[in-house]
Every structure is written in structure tokens, then in C-alpha cells.
Amino acid sequence: MKGFWSRFCRHKAAVVGLIVVALVLIIALIAPLLYPVSPWKMVQRPFLPPFANPNFPLGTDTLGRNVASGLAYGARVSLLIGTVSTLVALAVGVPIGALAGYFGGWVDDLLMRFTEFFQTVPSFALAIVLVAIFQPSLVSIIIAIAIVGWPPVARLVRGEVMAQRKREYVEAAILAGQSDLTIITRQILPNVVSPIVVLASLMVASAILLESSLSFLGLGDPSVMSWGYMVGAARTVVRQAWWLSVLPGVAILISVLALNLVGEGLAEALDPRSARDAA
């Protein structure tokens, strides 16, 4: 673990990204303490510009709602959807990829054709259709993002498991009489965790972008405040109140960029060649 952190910290941009992600997470967790009033409640006159009132440092929107409160509560929604949808995608993609890579043959063909079925439609278009069918809500958005996100996971895990399947330790486990399930879960998967972790960090960033895009189009959960909703609601008043779309847009940009930097740092820190070089 010490060696991992030392390799990760060598990637300065990744450290900055981790700090930014930690700050966003902290803001999301303490949002109810920072802003006890609902972000949907009118608290001042509409179109109050930033820094015009110390009580509302980021101004107000078209309905007089606190922009800073909306950003804080929007962070909760973005991180929740990004994290949960990624976990669901991993829960689906990892077993499918592991089974396909381990058994090969007709099992591999069947599972990969099933995976390709979900990749024939562009991810964003499929997510729009799914959310529209199930009605916009946090659950439907998470399910839609997970459905479009698990195929890349399955393909990655399949390739990694196929490479590990030929290793001597797997052959030794087979000769020792271990079951296929035991070999997959206790022998192979622990050795392919690194690329999965890296992909998961990038998937969280992609999920945040996808949720923001859906909310921008009016397909977000109408009962929760999100960054995408804030950008979408302000698109008709960009010239009159630029901050209403710029501030949540910057929040999305910074969060996604930070997560991508963390992913790059994890890729470098978990790379065996990087570990050998450090040694």
C-alpha cells in the first residue's frame, strides 16, 4: 500500500484531481448543513448576480433560488448517480466478462453476442430511450447509465481473464481440484482488479456527464436538483444571466476532469512496470 501511494503521488495531476474529488465529496456530504433551506425555495429576487449579496455569493437563478445551494445539492446527485451506476455496471459486466474469458468456446460466443447487442445502439441514444420509457427518476437514470456502461466492463474483464487463464497458477489450481467458481473468484479476479479499478474511476466521470446531459434535455429526476438541470434551465437566459449556466458547467468540467486525472494516476500506480521501476 505504501508503494502504491508513493507511485500515485508521483503523478502530481492525479493528486490534484484526488483533492478536488475529495472537496466535492465533502461539499456533497455537508450540503444540508451548509444550506438547510431547500435549493428549490425562493430566497431572494431573481437574477441576483454573484457577489452582490454576501448571503448569496453565487447569486440567484430565474426564480430567486440560491445558486450555491443548487451546486452543493447537485454534487450529491451527480456523485450518487455516478457511483451507484458504476457499481451496478461492474456487478453486471465483471461476471459476464469473467465467464466468457474463462470458459471460452460457445459460452464466450453467446455472452459476447449478448454484449454486442447493447453496443449496437449509441450509448447516449439508448440512455435517452430507457429513461423516457421508465419515466425520469434517480432509479431509472441509474439503471439506464448502468445498462449502457456494463458492456465495456465485460469486454475488458474478458480480455484480462483470457490472459490470466493461461498462467501456471490457474493450471495448478485446476490440478488441485478447485472448482471453476473458486478459480475465477479467488485466483483470477484478484489479479485483474487493477484495470477494473482504473476503468471504474473513468466510468464515474462518464456517468456524471451522461446524467448531466439527460437532465439538460429535461430527462432528469424532477424532484432533485442537479448540475445538468441547472444548465438546462438557464440556457434561455445565457445573455441575461451568464452565471446560471457557467457555474454548474464549470462544476461538471472540474469534477469530470478531476476524476479522469485520478484514473490516470491509478493506471500508473497500479501498473506492474511502474512498480518495478520504483523498486
Side-chain angles (χ1 to χ4, degrees):
M1 181 61 70
K2 184 178 179 180
F4 163 80
W5 280 113
S6 63
R7 294 191 300 273
F8 183 85
C9 291
R10 286 188 303 175
H11 197 297
K12 303 302 181 183
V15 175
V16 174
L18 183 61
I19 293 173
V20 171
V21 172
L23 289 175
V24 174
L25 179 59
I26 292 172
I27 291 174
L29 292 175
I30 65 174
L33 299 178
L34 293 175
Y35 304 102
V37 178
S38 170
W40 298 98
K41 186 176 181 180
M42 180 177 179
V43 293
Q44 251 288 351
R45 67 176 178 84
F47 298 118
L48 181 70
F51 311 115
N53 187 323
N55 295 323
F56 310 101
L58 299 182
T60 59
D61 64 6
T62 56
L63 298 178
R65 298 172 297 199
N66 190 353
V67 173
S69 175
L71 290 175
Y73 280 87
R76 296 166 63 91
V77 175
S78 295
L79 290 178
L80 174 65
I81 291 178
T83 303
V84 176
S85 63
T86 297
L87 292 176
V88 175
L90 291 176
V92 176
V94 170
I96 290 179
L99 292 175
Y102 181 82
F103 290 106
W106 68 269
V107 175
D108 181 27
D109 290 337
L110 177 64
L111 293 177
M112 285 303 99
R113 298 301 82 77
F114 177 69
T115 302
E116 291 171 357
F117 172 77
F118 287 90
Q119 293 183 302
T120 55
V121 181
S123 299
F124 186 51
L126 180 57
I128 291 176
V129 171
L130 291 173
V131 173
I133 291 175
F134 295 112
Q135 299 300 318
S137 67
L138 284 180
V139 174
S140 65
I141 292 172
I142 289 173
I143 293 175
I145 295 176
I147 288 176
V148 302
W150 73 262
V153 177
R155 288 195 168 278
L156 172 70
V157 174
R158 171 183 176 269
E160 295 292 334
V161 171
M162 288 181 68
Q164 295 293 325
R165 180 70 171 80
K166 302 175 183 178
R167 298 291 181 88
E168 293 180 355
Y169 75 89
V170 175
E171 295 179 358
I174 295 174
L175 293 176
Q178 295 185 14
S179 65
D180 293 330
L181 180 61
T182 300
I183 295 173
I184 293 174
T185 56
R186 298 186 180 181
Q187 302 292 341
I188 297 180
L189 285 182
N191 288 287
V192 301
V193 167
S194 297
I196 296 175
V197 170
V198 174
L199 179 61
S201 66
L202 300 176
M203 287 175 62
V204 174
S206 299
I208 291 175
L209 276 177
L210 187 52
E211 183 278 329
S212 299
S213 301
L214 291 171
S215 296
F216 178 82
L217 295 176
L219 293 175
D221 190 330
S223 64
V224 296
M225 182 69 71
S226 71
W227 292 337
Y229 167 81
M230 295 176 70
V231 175
R235 64 180 181 270
T236 58
V237 292
V238 173
R239 294 184 180 180
Q240 181 180 356
W242 57 268
W243 63 91
L244 298 183
S245 55
V246 170
L247 293 179
V250 170
I252 295 171
L253 173 64
I254 292 176
S255 299
V256 171
L257 177 60
L259 286 166
N260 278 281
L261 291 175
V262 171
E264 292 179 6
L266 288 174
E268 183 175 326
L270 294 172
D271 187 355
R273 291 173 296 181
S274 177
R276 288 195 298 267
D277 294 341

